[in-house]
Amino acid sequence: MGVGPVVAQVAEAVQHVLPTARRGDFWGATIEKFGVLFIGLAAFAAVIGLVLFFADRTPKKMRDVVQLTAFVAPALLLLLVGLVYPAIQTVYLAFTNRQGEWIGFQNFVWMFTQDEILQVLLNTIIWVLLVPALSTTIGLAYAVFIDKSAGEKVLKSLVFLPMAISFVGAGIIWRFIYEYRAEGYEQIGLLNQIIVWFGGEPRQFLIESPWNTFFLIIVMIWIQTGFAMVLLSAAIKAVPTEIIEASRLDGANAWQQFWNVTVPGIRSTLVVVVTTITIATLKVFDIVRTMTGGNYGTSVVANEMYTQAFNRAEWGQGAALAVVLFIMVLPIIMYNVRVMRKQREIR
Amino acid sequence: MSATDAAEAALDSPLNSKKVRRQRPEGKADRAKKVLTSKWATAGAIIIAVIWTIPTAGLFITSFRPADQIKGSGWWTIFQNWGFTFDNYAEVLTAQGASSANLSSYFINSIVVAVPATLFPLVLASLAAYAFAWIKFRFSAAIFIGVFALQIVPLQMALIPLLQIFSGALGISGTFPAVWIAHTIFGLPLAIFLLHNFISEIPGDVIEAARVDGANHFQTFFRIVLPLAMPALASFAIFQFLWVWNDLLVALVFSGGGVDVAPLTQRLAELSGNYGRNLHRLPAAAFISIIVPLIVFFSLQRYFVRGLMAGSTKG
């Protein structure tokens, strides 16, 4: 298909332009970067264009096969090389040491015997228990509170907004909330200022273990609640009014209506919300990296995997942690595939 | 798919709230109910809205305060310690050199990373999605389910070997193409799934009619399927763009981390790592990285929400 040589050529072009940026010539570097952008887009368009062109011109006999290949092969090839093979390779790496020698289950034994790593696993479990539960609850409550109220759209945007902010940006936003100054100095973090106003002693929220993990979790909840809220709000609006009306005529109060009518009506959306947030939480990396760097006993599996593999060059141990992450997500995959199969059967 | 249904419903409700209201006229009893329960509901809603807004608003105010005031007092004392300046923005954007933030360079990098990393998976996935939906071939269902399952494989599983391929066989580690290809691969499962759902909903009669007229798959794809699938293409494009723009992990692993290639998030994380020294730079720096997603968010909320919901299992 000619992708390999093209990639290599683009790469060569890129390496050629690199030194300019280092010399601090901003405009020169920018022009060259956009040059790379243009070359990249043009190369991609050329490859795809050529593949489609030749597939279109093939003799009638083979046309069906060739056309099919042209449609699916590029995507499937990339997935095979970029996801399937690496995933298998990672499983293999998990059983090797940093020299690449086979060492059986030693990496997993290491994981479950090191206090530090056990802490990491425990932290991940705390994250996974708290984030989906709390963001879904708060998001659902908010969705119910603002349902049909004036200014619903604006109120929604306020809570949904953090969804558009990167985890890194959110980490910085919240570090300023948690900022600590010693007692007697003027506080510049809002949370400590509130504590001081109420006569308390300022705390180092991100350093004092084990509570620091909870303060990181708050950031994730802050981000994910908007997601839960928007989906659940949509689901609530889809619950037929007739049923709600009927339960009201039966004398149900607002709380009973909520539990007996609304919640069953939005069950499938609740499942989607909880599983989605659970997966996102299992893989949380950026928040921990930006706010504590995984220090002070706050590391989680995804962060520790990065630290082991890319900071310490312990590829085997990093891979083993990735495998653990995969095993944690596995039940959710199987559940989703089952749902998916059912849907295809219905079709 | 329940998620997609919910997505459609959500899209209709906030934007076409008039229509919804017309469909469900509120009776007298309804309004009485509303008054009774709304006191607590309103209080709860306001509390949540305030807590959710204050962190961002506070940092936004902070970003315009002079450096010594950022270090010396909280943003809520802005009226006692008045100060307003663009210095922080000017410094993080324009100051060049190894120790300065250099954000303008990283901003360019983010753009150069994000545009192809959005377009490549979009093109490849729409081709594949068409094939899965409208070309009959053996194992098509099985392969499609396989692609769907890949969606949830944590990308952490792929990082190490993919980096080995990039630095070994291809020799492109630490360049823009490496980041583009990585993002393309990680975006494909979601893109194929999302676009397939949409493309397979196109009425079979339309496709058949084109075939009867003698159109082959390419003509059908370009003249009929692509134009009809525009909404889905747009929502995936926005979702993927934001995902790439906000990503840190892929950037850290494949960009090499320098001012040549690495995007904004990477530099922000570095600045944040030296927190004390960069205290006055961070608020402005954070907002520079947030501004593009916010523009996308406010101008294209409709598509963003749809992409987000349909793509809720991205990974």
Side-chain angles (χ1 to χ4, degrees):
Chain A
M1 302 237 308
V3 178
V6 173
V7 168
Q9 268 175 11
V10 174
E12 203 183 13
V14 173
Q15 260 141 21
H16 175 69
V17 309
L18 290 190
T20 332
R22 289 209 190 87
R23 284 198 303 269
D25 169 14
F26 171 72
W27 291 111
T30 298
I31 290 166
E32 282 171 344
K33 281 172 189 169
F34 278 106
V36 173
L37 174 64
F38 179 74
I39 296 169
L41 291 177
F44 179 78
V47 170
I48 294 294
L50 280 178
V51 168
L52 294 186
F53 180 78
F54 283 113
D56 202 19
R57 294 294 146 101
T58 39
K60 263 228 165 88
K61 256 188 209 162
M62 303 157 54
R63 190 176 278 174
D64 279 352
V65 181
V66 174
Q67 285 194 347
L68 176 65
T69 313
F71 272 106
V72 291
L76 289 186
L77 209 68
L78 276 175
L79 285 177
L80 277 179
V81 176
L83 269 180
V84 178
Y85 162 76
I88 295 167
Q89 177 76 5
T90 296
V91 175
Y92 169 77
L93 276 176
F95 295 94
T96 62
N97 62 11
R98 64 186 297 164
Q99 280 78 41
E101 295 152 2
W102 183 267
I103 52 165
F105 280 90
Q106 269 185 44
N107 286 328
F108 294 92
V109 172
W110 160 84
M111 198 183 300
F112 290 103
T113 51
Q114 291 273 315
D115 287 348
E116 197 188 317
I117 308 299
L118 283 174
Q119 173 80 54
V120 168
L121 296 172
L122 178 68
N123 285 344
T124 305
I125 292 170
I126 297 175
W127 277 80
V128 163
L129 289 179
L130 286 183
V131 176
L134 289 175
S135 359
T136 310
T137 310
I138 300 173
L140 178 58
Y142 191 72
V144 172
F145 291 162
I146 65 169
D147 194 38
K148 292 183 206 148
S149 71
E152 182 179 343
K153 207 181 149 193
V154 176
L155 287 169
K156 262 187 188 168
S157 298
L158 288 180
V159 172
F160 188 55
L161 193 86
M163 226 30 242
I165 297 173
S166 65
F167 285 10
V168 181
I172 290 171
I173 288 174
W174 280 86
R175 270 189 92 154
F176 272 81
I177 296 284
Y178 295 147
E179 181 67 359
Y180 164 85
R181 288 283 185 275
E183 205 175 356
Y185 289 88
E186 189 169 355
Q187 295 297 327
I188 67 170
L190 184 61
L191 199 54
N192 270 320
Q193 177 70 77
I194 290 170
I195 288 179
V196 169
W197 276 334
F198 282 98
E201 204 181 297
R203 313 297 304 247
Q204 305 208 45
F205 296 107
L206 294 177
I207 292 178
E208 289 169 29
S209 183
W211 300 109
N212 48 8
T213 291
F214 292 92
F215 288 107
L216 295 185
I217 286 175
I218 288 175
V219 182
M220 187 67 169
I221 293 173
W222 181 70
I223 296 173
Q224 298 292 342
T225 296
F227 168 73
M229 183 266 299
V230 169
L231 257 105
L232 292 171
S233 169
I236 289 171
K237 286 182 195 307
V239 175
T241 5
E242 294 79 25
I243 306 182
I244 297 173
E245 203 62 46
S247 77
R248 188 174 299 150
L249 291 175
D250 288 349
N253 63 28
W255 186 247
Q256 286 166 332
Q257 270 176 43
F258 175 73
W259 271 116
N260 298 332
V261 181
T262 310
V263 170
I266 60 172
R267 185 176 290 141
S268 63
T269 312
L270 272 174
V271 171
V272 171
V273 168
V274 171
T275 49
T276 304
I277 299 181
T278 305
I279 296 174
T281 307
L282 276 172
K283 293 184 289 191
V284 70
F285 164 80
D286 318 34
I287 292 177
V288 175
R289 183 112 313 229
T290 332
M291 295 189 74
T292 62
N295 298 314
Y296 321 116
T298 57
S299 192
V300 291
V301 171
N303 180 68
E304 196 61 26
M305 178 262 156
Y306 183 88
T307 308
Q308 295 294 340
F310 297 103
N311 293 356
R312 303 200 184 141
E314 290 283 2
W315 304 102
Q317 290 173 4
L321 284 161
V323 170
V324 167
L325 198 63
F326 178 70
I327 292 169
M328 286 171 150
V329 189
L330 200 62
I332 304 171
I333 301 179
M334 298 201 311
Y335 175 77
N336 275 288
V337 167
R338 235 182 51 195
V339 172
M340 167 97 187
R341 277 209 138 121
K342 263 190 203 147
Q343 279 166 356
R344 280 190 79 103
E345 273 164 24
I346 292 166
R347 244 184 239 161
Chain B
M1 174 94 202
S2 51
T4 342
D5 288 347
E8 295 301 328
L11 288 172
D12 290 339
S13 54
L15 295 152
N16 304 330
S17 49
K18 262 185 207 147
K19 195 167 73 193
V20 173
R21 234 171 267 148
R22 212 179 301 136
Q23 281 169 352
R24 292 182 210 163
E26 290 196 2
K28 253 187 197 153
D30 216 353
R31 225 170 291 143
K33 192 93 227 165
K34 204 79 191 151
V35 176
L36 285 179
T37 53
S38 66
K39 216 176 8 176
W40 291 106
T42 310
I46 290 174
I47 290 171
I48 294 175
V50 167
I51 295 175
W52 253 253
T53 313
I54 276 185
T56 319
L59 196 77
F60 187 62
I61 297 170
T62 307
S63 71
F64 291 107
R65 303 182 76 207
D68 53 326
Q69 288 190 10
I70 293 178
K71 287 171 184 156
S73 60
W75 55 265
W76 53 90
T77 66
I78 179 87
F79 293 111
Q80 291 102 296
N81 310 306
W82 181 255
F84 180 87
T85 174
F86 285 107
D87 288 356
N88 304 318
Y89 284 92
E91 192 202 325
V92 293
L93 275 175
T94 58
Q96 296 285 326
S99 66
S100 50
N102 266 331
L103 282 195
S104 49
S105 298
Y106 286 92
F107 194 91
I108 302 292
N109 293 349
S110 274
I111 294 172
V112 176
V113 163
V115 172
T118 304
L119 291 177
F120 292 178
L122 195 65
V123 172
L124 295 176
S126 56
L127 286 168
Y130 171 79
F132 282 122
W134 293 108
I135 303 180
K136 288 200 173 65
F137 57 100
R138 280 173 77 189
F139 307 120
S140 116
I143 297 174
F144 181 68
I145 286 177
V147 172
F148 172 77
L150 277 180
Q151 201 179 168
I152 319 164
V153 173
L155 62 86
Q156 278 86 353
M157 289 275 289
L159 294 179
I160 304 171
L162 199 57
L163 184 67
Q164 284 170 348
I165 295 173
F166 283 168
S167 50
L170 293 176
I172 56 168
S173 176
T175 66
F176 284 116
V179 189
W180 296 339
I181 295 173
H183 273 305
T184 302
I185 290 168
F186 298 142
L188 271 178
L190 168 72
I192 294 175
F193 174 67
L194 188 67
L195 296 177
H196 170 271
N197 279 357
F198 198 92
I199 289 174
S200 63
E201 301 282 305
I202 294 171
D205 303 348
V206 178
I207 309 278
E208 268 319 304
R211 296 247 177 87
V212 172
D213 287 348
N216 63 20
H217 283 306
F218 294 103
Q219 289 155 343
T220 317
F221 176 74
F222 283 110
R223 293 197 194 141
I224 292 169
V225 172
L226 271 194
L228 285 175
M230 264 312 155
L233 293 175
S235 68
F236 172 77
I238 289 158
F239 184 67
Q240 173 77 0
F241 178 84
L242 287 176
W243 201 82
V244 171
W245 187 277
N246 286 338
D247 155 81
L248 174 66
L249 184 56
V250 174
L252 273 180
V253 174
F254 296 106
S255 76
V259 64
D260 312 322
V261 178
L264 274 172
T265 45
Q266 149 110 34
R267 185 62 182 156
L268 265 186
E270 269 171 31
L271 291 174
S272 182
N274 207 333
Y275 187 66
R277 207 161 60 86
N278 293 314
L279 200 62
H280 65 290
R281 292 175 178 155
L282 279 169
F287 272 95
I288 289 166
S289 83
I290 290 171
I291 193 76
V292 171
L294 282 195
I295 291 171
V296 171
F297 173 79
F298 278 117
S299 57
L300 304 163
Q301 199 170 3
R302 184 191 172 86
Y303 291 111
F304 176 42
V305 169
R306 186 184 300 185
L308 200 68
M309 294 209 253
S312 41
T313 42
K314 162 117 190 186

